[in-house]
Amino acid sequence: MQILVTGGAGFIGSHIVDALLEEGHHVVVVDDLSSGREENLNPAARFYHMDICSSELEGVFRDEKVELVVHHAAQIDVRHSVASPGEDARINIQGLLNLLQNGLRHGLKGFIFASSGGVVYGEPERMPVTEDFPKGPLSPYGVSKLSSEFYLYYYARVHGLPYIALRYGNVYGPRQDPHGEAGVVAIFGQKMLRGETPTIYGDGEQLRDYVYVGDVVRANLLALRKIMNGINLQPVDGIDALAYNIGTGLGTSVNELFRLLADITGYTGRVVYGPERTGELKRIYLDAARAARELDWKPQVDLREGLKRTVAHLAQKL
């Protein structure tokens, strides 16, 4: 297939590009390199240095005859979304609509969307969280992810565009940026390898569902297969019908994550505790039973093994 991967120079997107190329697809990457890196780009993919909101995007759809979009380009900084909700909406909502409108004009056959199981549900009352749990995003970033799923639902029901939304847990692994707020594994790992002191915000008992990037890539490939097979792709029961939690079903505290990484890196220094971040969720981990049933997906890399692979990659970059 002719597949467009937005954000294909980024952490998750670049791994997906590699896997799609290995499966024999023709891959086009659109990335403005605001957070993606040129070193992540696979030379076998055709690269367009472009904002997803650009009017020039139509030329990519036309010239490359794009059949399917895997959408990972986004503004992902929760604190930035709070400070600049308009900018968050421009990138995450207007950018999505630019892709969808151009897709309609040029015969797009399917759309895979990187949503977030960490923000669309808000502060859940029971764990692990299933896809039909009430939604209550607590940041503009979460609102933009949930809004995007509603737009996809509309395009599916009214225009017949098949889609799948993958609600990721906390994705980690090689190529994760240690300089952003979302990459706690990379941040802690790099500091420990350098002998620097990591900071835990709050009491460290916040629970998160850490899922390895290789498992996330596999979820995208299985979603692609489902779309290509055209089975049960009408979301007649609302946005949750074609949404899949991609997580391990296990909650790991930041304190436990620190202990695991310290053991793997050999770090013997201390940790500093900083003030709790406003709006940060106390706990979230995901029930991925639907992905197991309908996509034949289950996580294969446990946390310790995934952390070891991540630390080995970080060590190479020092």
Side-chain angles (χ1 to χ4, degrees), residues 32-95:
D32 67 358
L33 299 181
S34 59
S35 59
R37 300 177 176 228
E38 286 190 69
E39 66 194 60
N40 292 339
L41 286 167
N42 191 311
R46 190 184 296 266
F47 173 55
Y48 289 84
H49 187 180
M50 186 182 296
D51 187 323
I52 56 171
C53 297
S54 171
S55 61
E56 296 179 3
L57 189 66
E58 181 169 12
V60 177
F61 277 83
R62 181 188 64 244
D63 298 342
E64 300 292 346
K65 298 178 173 55
V66 175
E67 297 176 275
L68 186 131
V69 171
V70 181
H71 183 35
H72 281 73
Q75 192 298 113
I76 63 170
D77 188 319
V78 172
R79 284 178 293 171
H80 181 72
S81 79
V82 172
S84 303
E87 176 68 3
D88 183 86
R90 183 191 74 82
I91 298 169
N92 292 351
I93 296 178
Q94 292 184 20

Side-chain angles (χ1 to χ4, degrees), residues 201-216:
Y201 294 94
D203 63 9
E205 289 305 303
Q206 307 95 318
L207 297 179
R208 296 292 184 269
D209 191 334
Y210 295 97
V211 58
Y212 185 67
V213 68
D215 285 329
V216 169

